[in-house]
Amino acid sequence: MTEQTGRRVVTNMSLSLDGHYARPDDPQDMGWVMPYAVTDVARDHLTSLWEPATTALLGRVNAEGFLGFWPTVIGMEGADPRDEGFAKWLVDTAKVVLSSTLGEAPWERTTIVDKPTAEVVADLKATEGGDILVLSSASVIKALLAADKVDRLAITIFPIFLGGGPRLFDDGLPAGQWALVSQAAGDHGTLALVYDRVR
């Protein structure tokens, strides 16, 4: 199938300095991210990713976490306007959740799909729209990297060693070159990097 549109697959992930995206003992504990996620660099980085996107692609676990938390930020007293902007975008945008266990979506504007990740992305790229943003769903991003389906790779690196845990970049990924398109360093040594796949 030829791609009729210029939709990009954009993946976003936070990593520790030693290359992990979750703690070894408690993968659900994202407490290590919080001091850095609220920096200007991290917020501006996320804003630059969601503004051109018209579809959010998530795994089930991340969908439950994101959609359980972010809508509560809308109208929250003292909320940063960038956080509120992202929350509104997440609620209002089309969401595709990859799951073999969810029968129906408990969220608005959400489609549940039980198909291989690369196939789902190929279907989405054949439709009109803006970027397809994969939000911190490691299993989805890993499948797309393995299939060489990522067009833009956004990473926020936080200056902390987790000392173990799952890694985003497994051995055996397709060899390829990436071009750095933006970089920003901020409070606490947070580093936001965006790479485009050179094809």
Side-chain angles (χ1 to χ4, degrees):
M1 181 183 82
T2 56
E3 291 171 12
Q4 297 128 10
T5 66
R7 300 194 79 180
R8 294 181 302 188
V9 175
V10 180
T11 63
N12 185 42
M13 192 60 143
S14 299
L15 296 177
S16 64
L17 193 54
D18 58 347
H20 303 283
Y21 62 81
R23 290 189 186 277
D25 47 350
D26 184 4
Q28 301 299 315
D29 171 24
M30 296 307 285
W32 63 276
V33 168
M34 291 323 293
Y36 309 106
V38 295
T39 60
D40 284 335
V41 160
R43 283 175 162 142
D44 290 344
H45 173 73
L46 184 57
T47 301
S48 74
L49 299 176
W50 67 255
E51 282 184 334
T54 56
T55 305
L57 181 60
L58 299 135
R60 180 189 59 81
V61 172
N62 260 48
E64 288 171 346
F66 270 67
L67 294 163
F69 169 72
W70 281 104
T72 67
V73 173
I74 300 169
M76 184 187 285
E77 195 177 330
D80 186 283
R82 292 163 295 186
D83 292 346
E84 207 165 356
F86 172 68
K88 286 176 179 166
W89 173 83
L90 187 62
V91 168
D92 294 340
T93 203
K95 292 169 281 295
V96 176
V97 175
L98 295 162
S99 175
S100 56
T101 55
L102 275 181
E104 56 184 50
W107 314 289
E108 291 178 31
R109 290 174 281 288
T110 305
T111 308
I112 307 291
V113 184
D114 181 12
K115 281 187 355 187
T117 306
E119 230 177 274
V120 173
V121 160
D123 291 347
L124 287 171
K125 285 190 87 163
T127 62
E128 293 294 325
D131 289 349
I132 300 154
L133 179 57
V134 186
L135 290 163
S136 306
S137 293
S139 60
V140 177
I141 296 173
K142 287 169 92 138
L144 292 172
L145 286 169
D148 198 12
K149 297 291 184 195
V150 176
D151 301 307
R152 172 163 281 187
L153 179 67
I155 305 168
T156 315
I157 298 173
F158 300 142
I160 179 173
F161 277 16
L162 293 182
R167 291 185 179 277
L168 184 63
F169 304 113
D170 294 326
D171 286 347
L173 288 174
Q177 192 177 351
W178 297 80
L180 181 66
V181 290
S182 78
Q183 57 184 324
D187 304 344
H188 310 306
T190 301
L191 192 60
L193 303 169
V194 180
Y195 293 92
D196 277 354
R197 179 75 170 90
V198 178
R199 300 198 189 275

